[in-house]
């Protein structure tokens, strides 16, 4: 899969192996399940700080209009929390103005019937009509093929928001990609199964601070 070739993304090469877990503090119960550390917690935080600045100033230039941030659960909760904390820090310390932010949390479920295959069932938003006229920022942990995100966007656009942007921490290079490109991307990563920082495997590893490659064993 070719690179996104975006200016505002940190690309991790396909041949990058990361760091041995022995160099970091890793929960004992995960030691045999983790391969190398692909992205350290500190690097994640530094990158999110830059994404927060990009988000803040992009919306600041739009007449400081309010932003309605939507977290896609479960995997996006840490990225969402850290991103908004950093945006709010800019709000608190920017002497010339701030960007009002409201929040919502959703989960996605695919429809069973083929007729609705272009949309997803959004669980958690009581009234989707409330998105009308709003600047919506969708925050997701990882975009793999991009098909689910395209379906989510198709669904949300029906409710006539003023604008919709997507921020994802990770975007995977995969031959199965639909070609979808988010507005804000933290890292572009190889086609590997990654865990940690709220990314899970059967609900495990969400509490792992670093983003790691799962062990082949």
């Amino acid at each position: 899969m070719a690179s996104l070739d975006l200016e505002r993304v940190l690309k991790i090469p396909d041949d990058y192996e990361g760091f041995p877990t022995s160099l970091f503090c890793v929960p004992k119960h995960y030691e045999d399940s983790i391969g190398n550390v692909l992205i350290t917690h500190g690097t994640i935080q530094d990158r999110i700080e830059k994404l927060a600045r990009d988000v803040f100033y992009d919306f600041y230039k739009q007449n400081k209009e309010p932003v309605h941030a939507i977290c896609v659960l479960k995997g996006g909760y840490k990225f969402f929390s850290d991103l908004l904390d950093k945006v709010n820090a800019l709000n608190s310390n920017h002497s010339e103005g701030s960007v009002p932010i409201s929040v919502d949390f959703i989960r996605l479920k695919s429809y069973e019937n083929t007729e609705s295959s272009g949309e997803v069932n959004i669980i958690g938003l009581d009234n989707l009509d409330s998105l009308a006229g709003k600047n919506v920022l969708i925050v997701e942990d990882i975009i793999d093929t991009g098909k689910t995100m395209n379906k989510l966007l198709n669904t949300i656009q029906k409710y006539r928001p003023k604008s919709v942007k997507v921020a994802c921490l990770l975007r995977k290079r995969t031959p199965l990609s639909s070609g979808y490109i988010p507005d804000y991307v933290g890292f572009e990563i190889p086609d590997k199964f990654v865990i940690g920082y709220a990314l899970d495997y059967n609900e495990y590893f969400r509490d792992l601070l670093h983003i790691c490659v799962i062990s082949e064993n």
Side-chain angles (χ1 to χ4, degrees):
M1 177 64 188
S3 170
L4 285 173
D5 197 26
L6 299 178
E7 291 183 2
R8 300 197 302 186
V9 62
L10 197 160
K11 303 181 181 77
I12 297 179
D14 289 333
D15 59 357
Y16 176 73
E17 296 184 358
F19 304 97
T21 55
S22 60
L23 298 176
F24 300 92
C25 294
V26 174
K28 190 72 176 178
H29 54 278
Y30 288 152
E31 285 183 350
D32 294 334
S33 305
I34 299 172
N36 284 349
V37 174
L38 191 68
I39 310 173
T40 66
H41 183 257
T43 303
I44 294 169
Q45 294 303 314
D46 283 354
R47 185 73 187 110
I48 293 176
E49 184 164 0
K50 181 59 170 68
L51 289 179
R53 286 180 174 272
D54 291 341
V55 169
F56 176 83
Y57 283 107
D58 284 353
F59 284 103
Y60 182 84
K61 292 173 184 175
Q62 296 180 16
N63 299 316
K64 310 179 190 69
E65 293 183 353
V67 178
H68 192 62
I70 299 177
C71 174
V72 181
L73 298 171
K74 294 182 183 178
Y77 81 89
K78 279 193 176 182
F79 175 43
F80 182 81
S81 176
D82 288 343
L83 180 70
L84 291 197
D85 280 349
K86 291 173 176 27
V87 171
N88 286 330
L90 290 167
N91 270 335
S92 299
N93 294 289
H94 200 283
S95 60
E96 297 182 6
S98 56
V99 177
I101 296 177
S102 55
V103 302
D104 256 315
F105 299 86
I106 63 172
R107 296 185 69 176
L108 305 180
K109 182 179 180 181
S110 298
Y111 285 105
E112 298 297 332
N113 61 76
T114 55
E115 293 181 0
S116 298
S117 60
E119 299 180 11
V120 289
N121 184 15
I122 300 174
I123 303 169
L125 263 174
D126 294 332
N127 182 12
L128 288 169
D129 290 322
S130 66
L131 298 179
K134 292 183 177 179
N135 295 306
V136 175
L137 175 67
I138 300 171
V139 181
E140 175 71 287
D141 55 350
I142 184 170
I143 292 179
D144 197 331
T145 66
K147 293 177 181 178
T148 299
M149 182 55 67
N150 276 322
K151 291 179 180 180
L152 174 59
L153 293 174
N154 288 339
T155 303
I156 285 181
Q157 290 290 359
K158 291 173 55 180
Y159 297 91
R160 303 181 304 281
K162 182 175 182 179
S163 68
V164 181
K165 292 188 175 183
V166 176
C168 73
L169 181 62
L170 306 175
R171 201 274 198 178
K172 188 180 291 186
R173 289 188 300 273
T174 168
L176 301 177
S177 173
S178 65
Y180 171 73
I181 299 176
D183 300 277
Y184 307 98
V185 183
F187 304 88
E188 182 187 272
I189 65 171
D191 190 8
K192 298 178 180 180
F193 196 108
V194 292
I195 50 175
Y197 194 70
L199 292 158
D200 78 303
Y201 175 71
N202 290 340
E203 294 301 325
Y204 293 100
F205 306 108
R206 293 194 192 277
D207 55 336
L208 188 63
L209 290 178
H210 312 293
I211 292 176
C212 304
V213 178
I214 197 166
S215 172
E216 296 181 357
N217 300 321

